[in-house]
Every structure is written in C-alpha cells, then in structure tokens.
Amino acid sequence: MATLEILEFPDPRLRTVASPVGSVTDATRSLIDDMLETMYAAPGIGLAATQVDVHERLLVMDLSDDQSAPMVFINPEIEVLDPELGEYDEGCLSVPGFYETVNRPRRIRVSAQDRNGEHFTDELEGLAAICLQHEIDHLDGKLFVDYLSPLKRTRIRKKLEKTQRRRA
Ligand code: GNR
Ligand code: NI
C-alpha cells in the first residue's frame, strides 16, 4: 500500500471529468486501498480518484471515528430523493484550511459498484449524503469553492497559491 499525493486548488487537473471504470480489476482494488490509506492519513472522510490525479469514476469514504467503515463507490450515479436543501460547513483536502457553507439536497439514492464489481443501491442522508455529493462533484471536475461567491473563491485561490509558492 502507498499514500498518494493530493492535488490542491487551483491545480487544473482537478477540473478533469473522470471516465467510467470499465471493469473492476486487481489494479482497481490496489488503487482503492491506496486511496483509503491516503484518506486515513490526511485525515479525511472521503477521497475521489480525481484528487490523486486518477481520472476514473471511483471514490472512497469512511464516516466512522475509528476507520472501521470504509465505503467504496465505483461508477456512482445519484438521484435526488428530496429536493429540500441542507447546509453544512464543508472542507476539502484539495482546498486545505478553508471551510465554507454549502447547500445540497438532503436525501439521495446512489447506484454504484463495489470493490468486487457488484452493483448495489443505497439511500443516504446526513453527512453521508453531503460527502457523497462532494466526492461525485470531484469526479465531474467540480470543487466546493465553485458554490461560493467569485470574491470568496478568488481570496481562497490567492491564499493557497501563496502557500504553494512558499512550499516550492
Ligand atoms: O474530509 C473531508 N471532510 C468533509 C467535510 C464536509 C464536507 C465534505 C467533506 S469531504 C473532505 C475530504 C475531501 O476533500 N473529499 O473530497
Ligand atoms: Ni474534496
């Protein structure tokens, strides 16, 4: 297993729209294990392949306190079950240090494949619904900062660019 480098805003590679996973192979499962290790090390509650510069439609999540509930979604599709929006202060490993309120549908149904390629569907609400929508946005080249005002987004971009220049 290995931890992977997480791309940071405004890296243009985060804007890539990911392609469907064709078949779920040992290579897919190895990537999933590396993504889980990377997410736990960060630490975060979710990670999309886009964030580690792999442009395939898969993501991992674990909402438990003790890394006991890894979830894997390959080729996820969501349907909004309740158009009512809920707000949450979102953060992102690709936008480190910034938390801003985002509104999203509260209840969704997801259809996806698991690490064995088996199809499943699930209904999610609460943080699981928020996190899954946040991760699927990554697969579509979107970031939570896209929901903010241009002024807020520009401020965040300039601060992160400054940190990245200092690091380089
Ligand atoms: O670790 C994470 N926490 C989080 C908090 C609120 C809403 C979404 C998230 S996902 C984030 C990890 C991440 O960047 N996933 O893409
Ligand atoms: Ni994120």
Side-chain angles (χ1 to χ4, degrees):
M1 296 229 285
T3 57
L4 308 169
E5 189 187 329
I6 298 176
L7 303 178
E8 292 183 6
F9 178 66
D11 192 311
R13 291 173 289 182
L14 287 167
R15 298 309 187 177
T16 311
V17 178
S19 304
V21 174
S23 57
V24 178
T25 64
D26 285 347
T28 317
R29 283 181 282 273
S30 175
L31 171 63
I32 287 166
D33 289 340
D34 288 348
M35 285 174 58
L36 283 165
E37 188 179 341
T38 303
M39 176 183 74
Y40 290 137
I45 59 171
L47 188 71
T50 307
Q51 292 176 277
V52 295
D53 203 22
V54 175
H55 302 287
E56 297 179 33
R57 303 191 75 82
L58 72 97
L59 64 93
V60 297
M61 293 176 20
D62 190 334
L63 305 180
S64 72
D65 303 328
D66 55 355
Q67 311 186 354
S68 61
M71 294 188 277
V72 175
F73 298 87
I74 299 172
N75 297 326
E77 300 283 351
I78 57 173
E79 176 190 343
V80 173
L81 293 179
D82 182 349
E84 193 193 342
L85 301 180
E87 63 170 44
Y88 197 83
D89 268 4
E90 295 197 14
C92 181
L93 295 172
S94 296
V95 190
F98 295 88
Y99 295 84
E100 295 287 346
T101 304
V102 176
N103 293 284
R104 300 185 188 271
R106 286 178 184 279
R107 291 189 58 232
I108 58 173
R109 177 181 294 128
V110 58
S111 303
Q113 287 162 268
D114 65 18
R115 61 182 291 137
N116 297 312
E118 304 285 350
H119 291 262
F120 68 96
T121 70
D122 200 4
E123 291 184 7
L124 303 180
E125 59 183 15
L127 187 55
I130 292 164
C131 190
L132 187 70
Q133 292 175 81
H134 173 116
E135 303 313 336
I136 291 177
D137 273 354
H138 279 302
L139 303 181
D140 291 328
K142 290 184 70 176
L143 295 166
F144 85 90
V145 296
D146 300 344
Y147 298 100
L148 309 178
S149 70
L151 179 63
K152 272 192 177 170
R153 188 164 52 252
T154 299
R155 282 192 183 141
I156 292 172
R157 178 175 54 77
K158 287 184 182 304
K159 286 182 188 165
L160 283 173
E161 281 172 342
K162 197 168 167 183
T163 325
Q164 290 160 15
R165 273 199 306 274
R166 265 201 270 271
R167 208 185 305 153

